Amino acid sequence: MSEEDWCRTLNLLERSADEIASPVLPEGLFGRPCPLPAAAWHLQELGKLSGGLGASGVTPASEARSRYHRRMLAYLIDPQRHSLRPLVTIVIPVCNRADLLVEAVRSCLEQSWHPIEIIVVDDGSDDDPAAALQEFGNKVQLHRKPNGGVASARNAGIQLARGDFIHFLDSDDLLLPDAVARKVASFAAIPDAALCFSMATEQNLPGVRVPTIRAPDGTERCVTSDLLHAVLNRCPFYVPTVMMPRWAMLALPPFEEDLRRGEDSRYWLTLGLARAKAIGLTEPLTIRRVVADGLSTTPHVGEPPVDIKLRNLRDVLCTPSAWHHARFALISFAQKLGQMTELSEESLERIPAYGQLVATLTGLGDGQPRDGLSPVPLLVDIANALEASSQYVASHWPQLWRDLSSAVFAAIISAAPMTNRDLVYWGHHTLRVHTRTSIAGLFKSLLKAAEKEPEVARRFDPVLRRTFPTPSSHTVKRYRKLRRKLRSGLLAAWLTWPSAYLRPFR
């Protein structure tokens, strides 16, 4: 379709988009609904692209996104016309799995959805995957590269893909025949989703433990409600169950190729930090087979697992919209560190993410707000979390914990002052049970107080910086009551809190 023909079609669609029926929500699909009907949403996004990009602003991601919206609009208009259907690319990284690879590819060719594109990325295999794939002819594309790990293989597959969607599959796993079709239908029903996953049937070796994947249910703790919290808390889904629009992948940073394991959780965390929407199917559409020499069964070598926790915490601290997750991320890091008694302080300090974390904490004390928010509540919450998690790590890494504490306490002194915008942010997030922190009730109380006392944030700022641990919301209510009656903030503080609460930060 030429650009002129497309513009005419677009004008017609704009007048009739609301009349195009949105697909029925597939059974077993959970996810937050799109605020607009599917066709209207795709048209809106196309309008943003055409109006916001000049010739110099065109990127591979924006080109792929424009094609994606056009293809999905055509599919919504005539879902039975195969030539208008979105193309789905299945990316399969492989290394020394030629025998299992054949079964994986065959499961892709048996999909009920067409068209599909199958890309196999040979990550430096010692066997001969090319010979194993000869029976499929030109139905499969094989790309060979030096061994660099599964992250580099997936990145190569994403760059080679031409599809509107990319579905991941590992060489030792299988897709059930309706896996792709069910996910395309899910994206059609909830068009603003960036990721769709399903459950998996597991075929495990005896004695092998694998992460427990919770079926989506749409509750507050579900990955479809808060992807970031789910990623920080557990393994949210298996990679071979995931399908995403290709444009969304091109817009994200690639898989981190220096990680030989855990690269997937880091990728999902990046999506969560971007506040992307995930949708999930309760139906098992992938067969996940655990083999004797797979990543799930071989000992972990190379970078320590705590490196991923360090990166997660660093990235949360760099993202103001995710600050309410920082306490949980810190405690998760401390718990993982507590399990690694063989790791020395010297080796931990050599991990680049550790130095970046300390620098990030120190930088929050530069007196500047972040996206209009003061770092003070974040830093105080981190200080409380350091105290709460010291039981896991203080005995093995005392200097490390002192360094982190010093960076936090120094930043608190010089961080940008609080405003009522901070009360709104923290008070809003405290209403969500799974993000409750030590300052949750406190800021919920202060947010209510701000309705009658506009200056409550400014007045409470020095109190929050100076007292440790953070006082409870009940104590703060008593303080405010006494301050109003006695007209002396200092006297009210002495009367309200024991001397232990009045010692300054260390």
PDB file of all heavy atoms in Angstrom, residues 88 90 107 110-113 167-169 174-186 196-199 240-241 243 281 283-287:
ATOM      1  N   VAL A  88       4.741 -13.076  12.784  1.00  0.00           N
ATOM      2  CA  VAL A  88       5.339 -13.409  14.080  1.00  0.00           C
ATOM      3  C   VAL A  88       6.664 -14.115  13.831  1.00  0.00           C
ATOM      4  O   VAL A  88       6.729 -15.135  13.137  1.00  0.00           O
ATOM      5  CB  VAL A  88       4.410 -14.311  14.923  1.00  0.00           C
ATOM      6  CG1 VAL A  88       5.090 -14.692  16.245  1.00  0.00           C
ATOM      7  CG2 VAL A  88       3.083 -13.598  15.193  1.00  0.00           C
ATOM      8  N   ILE A  90       9.744 -16.204  15.462  1.00  0.00           N
ATOM      9  CA  ILE A  90      10.135 -17.019  16.615  1.00  0.00           C
ATOM     10  C   ILE A  90      11.655 -17.114  16.619  1.00  0.00           C
ATOM     11  O   ILE A  90      12.266 -17.586  15.657  1.00  0.00           O
ATOM     12  CB  ILE A  90       9.506 -18.423  16.554  1.00  0.00           C
ATOM     13  CG1 ILE A  90       7.976 -18.305  16.462  1.00  0.00           C
ATOM     14  CG2 ILE A  90       9.885 -19.226  17.797  1.00  0.00           C
ATOM     15  CD1 ILE A  90       7.256 -19.634  16.286  1.00  0.00           C
ATOM     16  N   SER A 107       7.838 -27.872  16.352  1.00  0.00           N
ATOM     17  CA  SER A 107       6.688 -27.331  17.099  1.00  0.00           C
ATOM     18  C   SER A 107       6.309 -25.941  16.597  1.00  0.00           C
ATOM     19  O   SER A 107       5.143 -25.549  16.681  1.00  0.00           O
ATOM     20  CB  SER A 107       7.007 -27.295  18.600  1.00  0.00           C
ATOM     21  OG  SER A 107       7.867 -26.218  18.941  1.00  0.00           O
ATOM     22  N   GLU A 110       4.306 -26.285  13.318  1.00  0.00           N
ATOM     23  CA  GLU A 110       2.966 -26.839  13.546  1.00  0.00           C
ATOM     24  C   GLU A 110       2.011 -25.821  14.157  1.00  0.00           C
ATOM     25  O   GLU A 110       0.901 -26.168  14.555  1.00  0.00           O
ATOM     26  CB  GLU A 110       3.066 -28.060  14.462  1.00  0.00           C
ATOM     27  CG  GLU A 110       3.773 -29.244  13.800  1.00  0.00           C
ATOM     28  CD  GLU A 110       4.047 -30.385  14.776  1.00  0.00           C
ATOM     29  OE1 GLU A 110       3.812 -30.195  16.001  1.00  0.00           O
ATOM     30  OE2 GLU A 110       4.506 -31.448  14.321  1.00  0.00           O
ATOM     31  N   GLN A 111       2.422 -24.549  14.221  1.00  0.00           N
ATOM     32  CA  GLN A 111       1.545 -23.530  14.782  1.00  0.00           C
ATOM     33  C   GLN A 111       0.299 -23.323  13.922  1.00  0.00           C
ATOM     34  O   GLN A 111       0.367 -23.355  12.694  1.00  0.00           O
ATOM     35  CB  GLN A 111       2.302 -22.201  14.909  1.00  0.00           C
ATOM     36  CG  GLN A 111       3.365 -22.187  15.992  1.00  0.00           C
ATOM     37  CD  GLN A 111       2.781 -22.436  17.368  1.00  0.00           C
ATOM     38  OE1 GLN A 111       1.932 -21.679  17.834  1.00  0.00           O
ATOM     39  NE2 GLN A 111       3.219 -23.503  18.016  1.00  0.00           N
ATOM     40  N   SER A 112      -0.814 -23.080  14.604  1.00  0.00           N
ATOM     41  CA  SER A 112      -2.065 -22.804  13.884  1.00  0.00           C
ATOM     42  C   SER A 112      -2.068 -21.400  13.286  1.00  0.00           C
ATOM     43  O   SER A 112      -2.898 -21.095  12.434  1.00  0.00           O
ATOM     44  CB  SER A 112      -3.260 -22.975  14.828  1.00  0.00           C
ATOM     45  OG  SER A 112      -3.156 -22.072  15.935  1.00  0.00           O
ATOM     46  N   TRP A 113      -1.150 -20.544  13.752  1.00  0.00           N
ATOM     47  CA  TRP A 113      -1.068 -19.174  13.241  1.00  0.00           C
ATOM     48  C   TRP A 113      -0.095 -19.101  12.075  1.00  0.00           C
ATOM     49  O   TRP A 113       1.010 -19.651  12.124  1.00  0.00           O
ATOM     50  CB  TRP A 113      -0.602 -18.213  14.336  1.00  0.00           C
ATOM     51  CG  TRP A 113      -0.439 -16.799  13.835  1.00  0.00           C
ATOM     52  CD1 TRP A 113       0.704 -16.223  13.352  1.00  0.00           C
ATOM     53  CD2 TRP A 113      -1.459 -15.822  13.721  1.00  0.00           C
ATOM     54  NE1 TRP A 113       0.463 -14.932  12.958  1.00  0.00           N
ATOM     55  CE2 TRP A 113      -0.872 -14.654  13.168  1.00  0.00           C
ATOM     56  CE3 TRP A 113      -2.825 -15.800  14.032  1.00  0.00           C
ATOM     57  CZ2 TRP A 113      -1.588 -13.492  12.934  1.00  0.00           C
ATOM     58  CZ3 TRP A 113      -3.542 -14.644  13.796  1.00  0.00           C
ATOM     59  CH2 TRP A 113      -2.932 -13.501  13.263  1.00  0.00           C
ATOM     60  N   HIS A 167       8.405 -13.930  19.288  1.00  0.00           N
ATOM     61  CA  HIS A 167       8.145 -14.937  20.326  1.00  0.00           C
ATOM     62  C   HIS A 167       9.465 -15.629  20.628  1.00  0.00           C
ATOM     63  O   HIS A 167      10.177 -16.053  19.711  1.00  0.00           O
ATOM     64  CB  HIS A 167       7.103 -15.953  19.848  1.00  0.00           C
ATOM     65  CG  HIS A 167       6.493 -16.764  20.958  1.00  0.00           C
ATOM     66  ND1 HIS A 167       7.245 -17.526  21.840  1.00  0.00           N
ATOM     67  CD2 HIS A 167       5.195 -16.921  21.347  1.00  0.00           C
ATOM     68  CE1 HIS A 167       6.426 -18.123  22.704  1.00  0.00           C
ATOM     69  NE2 HIS A 167       5.183 -17.762  22.429  1.00  0.00           N
ATOM     70  N   PHE A 168       9.805 -15.734  21.904  1.00  0.00           N
ATOM     71  CA  PHE A 168      11.038 -16.428  22.288  1.00  0.00           C
ATOM     72  C   PHE A 168      10.769 -17.924  22.452  1.00  0.00           C
ATOM     73  O   PHE A 168       9.683 -18.339  22.858  1.00  0.00           O
ATOM     74  CB  PHE A 168      11.583 -15.874  23.603  1.00  0.00           C
ATOM     75  CG  PHE A 168      12.133 -14.478  23.495  1.00  0.00           C
ATOM     76  CD1 PHE A 168      11.591 -13.447  24.234  1.00  0.00           C
ATOM     77  CD2 PHE A 168      13.196 -14.208  22.659  1.00  0.00           C
ATOM     78  CE1 PHE A 168      12.089 -12.163  24.140  1.00  0.00           C
ATOM     79  CE2 PHE A 168      13.717 -12.923  22.561  1.00  0.00           C
ATOM     80  CZ  PHE A 168      13.150 -11.903  23.301  1.00  0.00           C
ATOM     81  N   LEU A 169      11.773 -18.707  22.145  1.00  0.00           N
ATOM     82  CA  LEU A 169      11.729 -20.147  22.410  1.00  0.00           C
ATOM     83  C   LEU A 169      13.152 -20.629  22.610  1.00  0.00           C
ATOM     84  O   LEU A 169      14.055 -20.214  21.879  1.00  0.00           O
ATOM     85  CB  LEU A 169      11.067 -20.898  21.244  1.00  0.00           C
ATOM     86  CG  LEU A 169      10.869 -22.401  21.452  1.00  0.00           C
ATOM     87  CD1 LEU A 169       9.869 -22.667  22.578  1.00  0.00           C
ATOM     88  CD2 LEU A 169      10.409 -23.081  20.171  1.00  0.00           C
ATOM     89  N   LEU A 174       9.301 -26.580  23.722  1.00  0.00           N
ATOM     90  CA  LEU A 174       8.350 -26.768  22.632  1.00  0.00           C
ATOM     91  C   LEU A 174       7.179 -25.809  22.786  1.00  0.00           C
ATOM     92  O   LEU A 174       6.782 -25.485  23.912  1.00  0.00           O
ATOM     93  CB  LEU A 174       7.812 -28.205  22.620  1.00  0.00           C
ATOM     94  CG  LEU A 174       8.835 -29.348  22.605  1.00  0.00           C
ATOM     95  CD1 LEU A 174       8.127 -30.683  22.790  1.00  0.00           C
ATOM     96  CD2 LEU A 174       9.620 -29.338  21.294  1.00  0.00           C
ATOM     97  N   LEU A 175       6.632 -25.376  21.657  1.00  0.00           N
ATOM     98  CA  LEU A 175       5.400 -24.588  21.659  1.00  0.00           C
ATOM     99  C   LEU A 175       4.222 -25.489  21.311  1.00  0.00           C
ATOM    100  O   LEU A 175       4.310 -26.307  20.381  1.00  0.00           O
ATOM    101  CB  LEU A 175       5.479 -23.457  20.629  1.00  0.00           C
ATOM    102  CG  LEU A 175       6.449 -22.299  20.908  1.00  0.00           C
ATOM    103  CD1 LEU A 175       6.394 -21.303  19.763  1.00  0.00           C
ATOM    104  CD2 LEU A 175       6.127 -21.621  22.222  1.00  0.00           C
ATOM    105  N   LEU A 176       3.125 -25.335  22.050  1.00  0.00           N
ATOM    106  CA  LEU A 176       1.899 -26.027  21.682  1.00  0.00           C
ATOM    107  C   LEU A 176       1.287 -25.342  20.461  1.00  0.00           C
ATOM    108  O   LEU A 176       1.534 -24.153  20.211  1.00  0.00           O
ATOM    109  CB  LEU A 176       0.934 -26.036  22.862  1.00  0.00           C
ATOM    110  CG  LEU A 176       1.415 -26.854  24.081  1.00  0.00           C
ATOM    111  CD1 LEU A 176       0.377 -26.824  25.198  1.00  0.00           C
ATOM    112  CD2 LEU A 176       1.727 -28.290  23.695  1.00  0.00           C
ATOM    113  N   PRO A 177       0.467 -26.041  19.684  1.00  0.00           N
ATOM    114  CA  PRO A 177       0.032 -25.516  18.377  1.00  0.00           C
ATOM    115  C   PRO A 177      -0.659 -24.163  18.406  1.00  0.00           C
ATOM    116  O   PRO A 177      -0.552 -23.398  17.444  1.00  0.00           O
ATOM    117  CB  PRO A 177      -0.919 -26.619  17.876  1.00  0.00           C
ATOM    118  CG  PRO A 177      -0.415 -27.865  18.519  1.00  0.00           C
ATOM    119  CD  PRO A 177       0.059 -27.446  19.876  1.00  0.00           C
ATOM    120  N   ASP A 178      -1.381 -23.825  19.485  1.00  0.00           N
ATOM    121  CA  ASP A 178      -2.111 -22.557  19.523  1.00  0.00           C
ATOM    122  C   ASP A 178      -1.367 -21.449  20.279  1.00  0.00           C
ATOM    123  O   ASP A 178      -1.955 -20.400  20.562  1.00  0.00           O
ATOM    124  CB  ASP A 178      -3.486 -22.758  20.181  1.00  0.00           C
ATOM    125  CG  ASP A 178      -4.441 -23.515  19.277  1.00  0.00           C
ATOM    126  OD1 ASP A 178      -4.262 -23.444  18.054  1.00  0.00           O
ATOM    127  OD2 ASP A 178      -5.350 -24.188  19.792  1.00  0.00           O
ATOM    128  N   ALA A 179      -0.101 -21.651  20.597  1.00  0.00           N
ATOM    129  CA  ALA A 179       0.634 -20.686  21.422  1.00  0.00           C
ATOM    130  C   ALA A 179       0.664 -19.303  20.782  1.00  0.00           C
ATOM    131  O   ALA A 179       0.337 -18.297  21.417  1.00  0.00           O
ATOM    132  CB  ALA A 179       2.057 -21.187  21.674  1.00  0.00           C
ATOM    133  N   VAL A 180       1.054 -19.226  19.521  1.00  0.00           N
ATOM    134  CA  VAL A 180       1.173 -17.929  18.852  1.00  0.00           C
ATOM    135  C   VAL A 180      -0.200 -17.315  18.611  1.00  0.00           C
ATOM    136  O   VAL A 180      -0.422 -16.119  18.860  1.00  0.00           O
ATOM    137  CB  VAL A 180       1.951 -18.079  17.538  1.00  0.00           C
ATOM    138  CG1 VAL A 180       1.872 -16.796  16.714  1.00  0.00           C
ATOM    139  CG2 VAL A 180       3.412 -18.432  17.815  1.00  0.00           C
ATOM    140  N   ALA A 181      -1.157 -18.109  18.129  1.00  0.00           N
ATOM    141  CA  ALA A 181      -2.486 -17.592  17.823  1.00  0.00           C
ATOM    142  C   ALA A 181      -3.160 -17.013  19.065  1.00  0.00           C
ATOM    143  O   ALA A 181      -3.807 -15.957  19.003  1.00  0.00           O
ATOM    144  CB  ALA A 181      -3.349 -18.701  17.229  1.00  0.00           C
ATOM    145  N   ARG A 182      -3.013 -17.665  20.202  1.00  0.00           N
ATOM    146  CA  ARG A 182      -3.635 -17.195  21.439  1.00  0.00           C
ATOM    147  C   ARG A 182      -3.033 -15.861  21.868  1.00  0.00           C
ATOM    148  O   ARG A 182      -3.725 -14.980  22.376  1.00  0.00           O
ATOM    149  CB  ARG A 182      -3.458 -18.222  22.552  1.00  0.00           C
ATOM    150  CG  ARG A 182      -4.221 -19.512  22.325  1.00  0.00           C
ATOM    151  CD  ARG A 182      -5.641 -19.405  22.827  1.00  0.00           C
ATOM    152  NE  ARG A 182      -5.686 -19.393  24.286  1.00  0.00           N
ATOM    153  CZ  ARG A 182      -6.657 -18.846  24.997  1.00  0.00           C
ATOM    154  NH1 ARG A 182      -7.642 -18.224  24.383  1.00  0.00           N
ATOM    155  NH2 ARG A 182      -6.638 -18.888  26.314  1.00  0.00           N
ATOM    156  N   LYS A 183      -1.759 -15.673  21.644  1.00  0.00           N
ATOM    157  CA  LYS A 183      -1.123 -14.426  22.070  1.00  0.00           C
ATOM    158  C   LYS A 183      -1.421 -13.283  21.108  1.00  0.00           C
ATOM    159  O   LYS A 183      -1.588 -12.137  21.543  1.00  0.00           O
ATOM    160  CB  LYS A 183       0.387 -14.650  22.236  1.00  0.00           C
ATOM    161  CG  LYS A 183       0.697 -15.479  23.479  1.00  0.00           C
ATOM    162  CD  LYS A 183       2.095 -16.022  23.532  1.00  0.00           C
ATOM    163  CE  LYS A 183       2.203 -17.000  24.699  1.00  0.00           C
ATOM    164  NZ  LYS A 183       3.407 -17.813  24.650  1.00  0.00           N
ATOM    165  N   VAL A 184      -1.515 -13.579  19.824  1.00  0.00           N
ATOM    166  CA  VAL A 184      -1.930 -12.533  18.885  1.00  0.00           C
ATOM    167  C   VAL A 184      -3.333 -12.054  19.247  1.00  0.00           C
ATOM    168  O   VAL A 184      -3.618 -10.848  19.263  1.00  0.00           O
ATOM    169  CB  VAL A 184      -1.885 -13.038  17.430  1.00  0.00           C
ATOM    170  CG1 VAL A 184      -2.515 -12.017  16.496  1.00  0.00           C
ATOM    171  CG2 VAL A 184      -0.450 -13.315  17.004  1.00  0.00           C
ATOM    172  N   ALA A 185      -4.231 -12.989  19.563  1.00  0.00           N
ATOM    173  CA  ALA A 185      -5.586 -12.626  19.962  1.00  0.00           C
ATOM    174  C   ALA A 185      -5.576 -11.801  21.241  1.00  0.00           C
ATOM    175  O   ALA A 185      -6.402 -10.886  21.407  1.00  0.00           O
ATOM    176  CB  ALA A 185      -6.427 -13.894  20.146  1.00  0.00           C
ATOM    177  N   SER A 186      -4.661 -12.088  22.131  1.00  0.00           N
ATOM    178  CA  SER A 186      -4.562 -11.331  23.385  1.00  0.00           C
ATOM    179  C   SER A 186      -4.119  -9.897  23.124  1.00  0.00           C
ATOM    180  O   SER A 186      -4.657  -8.953  23.709  1.00  0.00           O
ATOM    181  CB  SER A 186      -3.577 -12.027  24.334  1.00  0.00           C
ATOM    182  OG  SER A 186      -4.018 -13.339  24.660  1.00  0.00           O
ATOM    183  N   CYS A 196       3.139 -10.337  26.409  1.00  0.00           N
ATOM    184  CA  CYS A 196       2.137 -11.358  26.736  1.00  0.00           C
ATOM    185  C   CYS A 196       2.878 -12.647  27.064  1.00  0.00           C
ATOM    186  O   CYS A 196       3.778 -13.061  26.331  1.00  0.00           O
ATOM    187  CB  CYS A 196       1.184 -11.569  25.566  1.00  0.00           C
ATOM    188  SG  CYS A 196      -0.123 -12.793  25.908  1.00  0.00           S
ATOM    189  N   PHE A 197       2.492 -13.261  28.175  1.00  0.00           N
ATOM    190  CA  PHE A 197       3.104 -14.533  28.564  1.00  0.00           C
ATOM    191  C   PHE A 197       2.006 -15.544  28.846  1.00  0.00           C
ATOM    192  O   PHE A 197       0.828 -15.197  28.985  1.00  0.00           O
ATOM    193  CB  PHE A 197       3.995 -14.355  29.799  1.00  0.00           C
ATOM    194  CG  PHE A 197       3.239 -14.079  31.073  1.00  0.00           C
ATOM    195  CD1 PHE A 197       2.922 -15.091  31.965  1.00  0.00           C
ATOM    196  CD2 PHE A 197       2.826 -12.781  31.387  1.00  0.00           C
ATOM    197  CE1 PHE A 197       2.214 -14.838  33.128  1.00  0.00           C
ATOM    198  CE2 PHE A 197       2.126 -12.509  32.554  1.00  0.00           C
ATOM    199  CZ  PHE A 197       1.819 -13.546  33.425  1.00  0.00           C
ATOM    200  N   SER A 198       2.399 -16.789  28.918  1.00  0.00           N
ATOM    201  CA  SER A 198       1.459 -17.854  29.269  1.00  0.00           C
ATOM    202  C   SER A 198       2.106 -18.725  30.338  1.00  0.00           C
ATOM    203  O   SER A 198       3.276 -18.535  30.702  1.00  0.00           O
ATOM    204  CB  SER A 198       1.122 -18.700  28.036  1.00  0.00           C
ATOM    205  OG  SER A 198       2.255 -19.454  27.631  1.00  0.00           O
ATOM    206  N   MET A 199       1.374 -19.665  30.822  1.00  0.00           N
ATOM    207  CA  MET A 199       1.947 -20.658  31.710  1.00  0.00           C
ATOM    208  C   MET A 199       2.651 -21.729  30.875  1.00  0.00           C
ATOM    209  O   MET A 199       2.555 -21.746  29.635  1.00  0.00           O
ATOM    210  CB  MET A 199       0.861 -21.273  32.582  1.00  0.00           C
ATOM    211  CG  MET A 199       0.163 -20.272  33.487  1.00  0.00           C
ATOM    212  SD  MET A 199       1.315 -19.425  34.601  1.00  0.00           S
ATOM    213  CE  MET A 199       1.716 -20.760  35.738  1.00  0.00           C
ATOM    214  N   PRO A 240      10.534 -18.707  27.320  1.00  0.00           N
ATOM    215  CA  PRO A 240       9.889 -19.319  26.147  1.00  0.00           C
ATOM    216  C   PRO A 240       8.369 -19.185  26.129  1.00  0.00           C
ATOM    217  O   PRO A 240       7.733 -19.693  25.200  1.00  0.00           O
ATOM    218  CB  PRO A 240      10.289 -20.797  26.253  1.00  0.00           C
ATOM    219  CG  PRO A 240      11.447 -20.832  27.187  1.00  0.00           C
ATOM    220  CD  PRO A 240      11.221 -19.729  28.142  1.00  0.00           C
ATOM    221  N   THR A 241       7.788 -18.516  27.129  1.00  0.00           N
ATOM    222  CA  THR A 241       6.344 -18.277  27.120  1.00  0.00           C
ATOM    223  C   THR A 241       6.008 -16.849  26.678  1.00  0.00           C
ATOM    224  O   THR A 241       4.835 -16.478  26.658  1.00  0.00           O
ATOM    225  CB  THR A 241       5.743 -18.507  28.513  1.00  0.00           C
ATOM    226  OG1 THR A 241       6.167 -17.464  29.413  1.00  0.00           O
ATOM    227  CG2 THR A 241       6.160 -19.856  29.077  1.00  0.00           C
ATOM    228  N   MET A 243       5.830 -13.375  24.318  1.00  0.00           N
ATOM    229  CA  MET A 243       5.771 -12.746  22.997  1.00  0.00           C
ATOM    230  C   MET A 243       5.618 -11.249  23.186  1.00  0.00           C
ATOM    231  O   MET A 243       4.875 -10.797  24.062  1.00  0.00           O
ATOM    232  CB  MET A 243       4.606 -13.299  22.167  1.00  0.00           C
ATOM    233  CG  MET A 243       4.635 -12.843  20.707  1.00  0.00           C
ATOM    234  SD  MET A 243       3.520 -13.785  19.633  1.00  0.00           S
ATOM    235  CE  MET A 243       2.014 -12.822  19.803  1.00  0.00           C
ATOM    236  N   LEU A 281      -1.767 -15.254  30.148  1.00  0.00           N
ATOM    237  CA  LEU A 281      -2.740 -16.315  29.910  1.00  0.00           C
ATOM    238  C   LEU A 281      -2.532 -17.441  30.915  1.00  0.00           C
ATOM    239  O   LEU A 281      -1.395 -17.864  31.157  1.00  0.00           O
ATOM    240  CB  LEU A 281      -2.592 -16.864  28.485  1.00  0.00           C
ATOM    241  CG  LEU A 281      -3.033 -15.921  27.357  1.00  0.00           C
ATOM    242  CD1 LEU A 281      -2.362 -16.321  26.041  1.00  0.00           C
ATOM    243  CD2 LEU A 281      -4.553 -15.960  27.208  1.00  0.00           C
ATOM    244  N   GLU A 283      -3.455 -20.420  30.515  1.00  0.00           N
ATOM    245  CA  GLU A 283      -3.311 -21.679  29.800  1.00  0.00           C
ATOM    246  C   GLU A 283      -1.838 -22.008  29.553  1.00  0.00           C
ATOM    247  O   GLU A 283      -1.061 -21.140  29.140  1.00  0.00           O
ATOM    248  CB  GLU A 283      -4.033 -21.566  28.452  1.00  0.00           C
ATOM    249  CG  GLU A 283      -4.071 -22.834  27.645  1.00  0.00           C
ATOM    250  CD  GLU A 283      -4.824 -22.638  26.342  1.00  0.00           C
ATOM    251  OE1 GLU A 283      -5.417 -21.551  26.155  1.00  0.00           O
ATOM    252  OE2 GLU A 283      -4.809 -23.557  25.503  1.00  0.00           O
ATOM    253  N   PRO A 284      -1.393 -23.248  29.816  1.00  0.00           N
ATOM    254  CA  PRO A 284      -0.012 -23.626  29.482  1.00  0.00           C
ATOM    255  C   PRO A 284       0.128 -23.826  27.975  1.00  0.00           C
ATOM    256  O   PRO A 284      -0.487 -24.719  27.400  1.00  0.00           O
ATOM    257  CB  PRO A 284       0.195 -24.944  30.257  1.00  0.00           C
ATOM    258  CG  PRO A 284      -1.174 -25.486  30.472  1.00  0.00           C
ATOM    259  CD  PRO A 284      -2.108 -24.328  30.517  1.00  0.00           C
ATOM    260  N   LEU A 285       0.947 -22.994  27.342  1.00  0.00           N
ATOM    261  CA  LEU A 285       1.114 -23.028  25.890  1.00  0.00           C
ATOM    262  C   LEU A 285       2.536 -23.371  25.474  1.00  0.00           C
ATOM    263  O   LEU A 285       2.849 -23.389  24.285  1.00  0.00           O
ATOM    264  CB  LEU A 285       0.709 -21.678  25.287  1.00  0.00           C
ATOM    265  CG  LEU A 285      -0.765 -21.286  25.475  1.00  0.00           C
ATOM    266  CD1 LEU A 285      -0.999 -19.847  25.031  1.00  0.00           C
ATOM    267  CD2 LEU A 285      -1.678 -22.239  24.720  1.00  0.00           C
ATOM    268  N   THR A 286       3.406 -23.600  26.449  1.00  0.00           N
ATOM    269  CA  THR A 286       4.796 -23.985  26.199  1.00  0.00           C
ATOM    270  C   THR A 286       5.118 -25.227  27.014  1.00  0.00           C
ATOM    271  O   THR A 286       4.670 -25.353  28.157  1.00  0.00           O
ATOM    272  CB  THR A 286       5.762 -22.851  26.582  1.00  0.00           C
ATOM    273  OG1 THR A 286       5.474 -21.690  25.801  1.00  0.00           O
ATOM    274  CG2 THR A 286       7.217 -23.255  26.352  1.00  0.00           C
ATOM    275  N   ILE A 287       5.875 -26.131  26.432  1.00  0.00           N
ATOM    276  CA  ILE A 287       6.407 -27.274  27.181  1.00  0.00           C
ATOM    277  C   ILE A 287       7.863 -26.968  27.486  1.00  0.00           C
ATOM    278  O   ILE A 287       8.684 -26.821  26.570  1.00  0.00           O
ATOM    279  CB  ILE A 287       6.281 -28.581  26.396  1.00  0.00           C
ATOM    280  CG1 ILE A 287       4.805 -28.905  26.135  1.00  0.00           C
ATOM    281  CG2 ILE A 287       6.940 -29.732  27.163  1.00  0.00           C
ATOM    282  CD1 ILE A 287       4.590 -30.130  25.279  1.00  0.00           C
TER     283      ILE A 287
END
